[in-house]
Every structure is written in structure tokens, then in C-alpha cells.
Amino acid sequence: MEWNLRRMESELRQINPDLLQPSKSFKKSTSGTITLNVGGYLYATQRQTLAKYPGSLLEELSSGKRPVQHVDSMGNAFIDRDGPIFRHILNFLRLGELLIPDDFKEIGLLQKEADFYRLPELTEATSDWEQKQAAGREGAFLEVTDSHDRAHGLKVYCSDTSFIERVKGRLVQISKSRLDDFPEEFAVSSNVIQFRHFIKSEMGSRLVLKEDSTFLCTLECLKLETVLLALRGGFRLLTSLDSSRGSVVQCEALHFMK
């Protein structure tokens, strides 16, 4: 039996000499990809992704500054940490931002893992996420005011900055067949947008809805889009001033809570 096993191994090596060799992804500095075994979960990524933040544990491992102390049966570097949570760490390295669902329940664990991998940028991102979640639980106030005067225009204030970002993400400017981003001249602060005008002096410039390129030609259209975003986002209308005009979008002020 032992002779047969040796013979099979010899034949396999003749077919592919690397077949029975452990993974060389960490040993070969020229290898562009790396496979990590984190708590039993395999992750394949580029070496430069792990090296994004100098001084981190992953950067030291990928660059060879820190020797690999443990490997699995296939020769992949083994890290005895939480495997499922590592996907969020790897996505952060890839994207440069933390993208996790609003109902994420393991933020404390993610923070501990960020500390272990020496990623202060990720630790800060998790803290920012917690603050935004706390602000959302405390409720948000939205005020839409319309002076019916082009000189003052339409003002949108919201204590939840993410709503302001949603409004900005819904609107884009088109200038001479060129698609621009949201006009930052309308962003007074992270909580306030004020549309004093939205047909710029540049010929052919106009503000449109991002998805369908619908031209927002009046303040009423812009206000209606803001109200619809608010209602879809879970805000409820509290008060409306001067509703005698017959339409919510014609009121001078609208107040919402979430």
C-alpha cells in the first residue's frame, strides 16, 4: 500500500509538479494575488489591496515585512480570526468606504477586528456609522421653505445629512450636452440646500432628475421631488404654512419628522 501511494504521488508530480505543493502566494513577492484563510473562510484578493494602508497587519503580511506564522493544509496563510466578518474588512480595503446594512448587528465585533488588523481608518468609519445610526434613531427634522421669490428660492434643511445627500444624488446638471454632478453652489452646508436659481447663466444649462433626465423647470417641481423623497424615506408631514393655496407644494413652509 505504501509503495502504491508513493507511485501515485510520483505520477502526479510528473503530470503537474506544483499539484502537491503548498500555496506560494505569500512566498512569491511577484505574485499579484493572495489567498487568505481567515477562520476557515478563504479570501482571494490582490496583494496591492491588502497593502492599501501602510503599517496595517495585512500590509505587513502582503509585503513580506511580517513572516507568516501559520498556514493551512494548502499552504495559505492562516489568520485565526472571525471569517465571515472579514468580508467587510476586505470590501473596505477595496472600496475605501464602509458599506454595511442599516440593521447590521456586529459593529462591535467589526471594530475589534479593525483594531486587530491595525486599521484606524476602518475604526473611524465604524464610529461614523454608529453616530449616523444613533441620529436616525433619535429622529430627524425636515423643513422645506419657499419664499416664492427667485432671489431667495427654495431652501431645504434636514438634521439628517443623509437625506440631503439623497436629494443631491437625485439631481444632476446638464450643460452643453455634458452631464455634471449636483451643483455644489446650492449646498450651503451638510444640512442645507438652497436653490436660488437652477437655470444658470450658461446657455443650455439645466437641472434634471438623474434617472429619467426630466427637466425641473419650476420651483414647484423641485419642491414636489423633495416631498416625494421625504415621504418615501419615512418622513411624515407635521405642519404646512399657508395651505390655502390649494396644494402642498405651493405652501410657504413644510415641516416633516421621521
Side-chain angles (χ1 to χ4, degrees):
M1 178 66 71
E2 183 179 353
W3 181 84
N4 288 335
L5 289 175
R6 288 201 301 269
R7 181 179 177 181
M8 290 174 61
E9 181 177 338
S10 176
E11 292 176 351
L12 286 172
R13 289 184 186 280
Q14 290 178 6
I15 297 173
N16 184 352
D18 291 329
L19 188 61
L20 299 179
Q21 298 296 323
S23 171
K24 300 177 182 179
S25 61
F26 266 90
K27 295 179 181 179
K28 294 170 62 177
S29 60
T30 57
S31 175
T33 60
I34 292 174
T35 300
L36 287 175
N37 184 334
V38 183
Y41 288 74
L42 295 180
Y43 292 91
T45 186
Q46 293 184 336
R47 188 179 297 273
Q48 64 184 18
T49 299
L50 297 182
K52 183 169 185 176
Y53 294 104
S56 68
L57 174 63
L58 296 172
E59 183 270 333
E60 292 179 354
L61 285 175
S62 64
S63 64
K65 298 177 183 177
R66 184 186 184 93
V68 177
Q69 298 180 351
H70 305 284
V71 295
D72 62 13
S73 59
M74 295 300 295
N76 300 311
F78 177 77
I79 303 176
D80 191 15
R81 302 296 293 190
D82 191 276
I85 205 76
F86 189 75
R87 67 182 289 261
H88 300 296
I89 296 171
L90 190 55
N91 282 333
F92 179 78
L93 295 177
R94 289 167 172 162
L95 303 173
E97 59 180 326
L98 180 62
L99 297 177
I100 52 178
D102 290 339
D103 59 351
F104 187 68
K105 303 298 183 184
E106 297 184 301
I107 192 66
L109 176 60
L110 182 56
Q111 288 175 331
K112 290 183 181 296
E113 295 300 283
D115 292 339
F116 171 79
Y117 291 108
R118 301 201 301 272
L119 290 167
E121 297 83 2
L122 178 55
T123 302
E124 181 180 355
T126 57
S127 298
D128 292 342
W129 183 87
E130 281 190 307
Q131 292 178 5
K132 290 181 179 179
Q133 293 301 110
R137 289 191 295 269
E138 292 172 358
F141 174 72
L142 169 65
E143 181 181 53
V144 182
T145 55
D146 181 3
S147 65
H148 300 284
D149 181 355
R150 187 180 177 87
H152 296 88
L154 180 71
K155 181 178 179 181
V156 179
Y157 165 82
C158 189
S159 60
D160 181 2
T161 57
S162 65
F163 178 78
I164 297 296
E165 291 301 317
R166 284 196 294 273
V167 174
K168 292 168 64 176
R170 184 77 172 102
L171 305 173
V172 292
Q173 183 172 283
I174 293 181
S175 304
K176 294 182 178 179
S177 300
R178 185 183 71 249
L179 184 63
D180 298 325
D181 293 326
F182 179 84
E184 288 301 323
E185 63 188 271
F186 298 143
V188 178
S189 69
S190 60
N191 297 97
V192 178
I193 300 175
Q194 186 158 9
F195 299 93
R196 289 189 174 87
H197 62 85
F198 48 91
I199 302 178
K200 300 180 69 176
S201 56
E202 182 181 353
M203 185 65 66
S205 176
R206 62 189 187 275
L207 197 64
V208 302
L209 300 180
K210 191 171 185 179
E211 282 77 9
D212 53 18
S213 298
T214 301
F215 180 28
L216 295 174
C217 55
T218 65
L219 287 175
E220 285 75 16
C221 291
L222 189 58
K223 189 192 297 184
L224 177 60
E225 183 62 29
T226 304
V227 170
L228 290 175
L229 283 175
L231 296 177
R232 291 167 186 162
F235 284 88
R236 65 183 188 277
L237 180 64
L238 292 181
T239 60
S240 57
L241 302 183
D242 193 13
S243 58
S244 61
R245 295 175 180 268
S247 172
V248 171
V249 296
Q250 293 180 334
C251 295
E252 292 183 357
L254 300 169
H255 300 133
F256 298 82
M257 282 293 296
K258 180 179 179 181

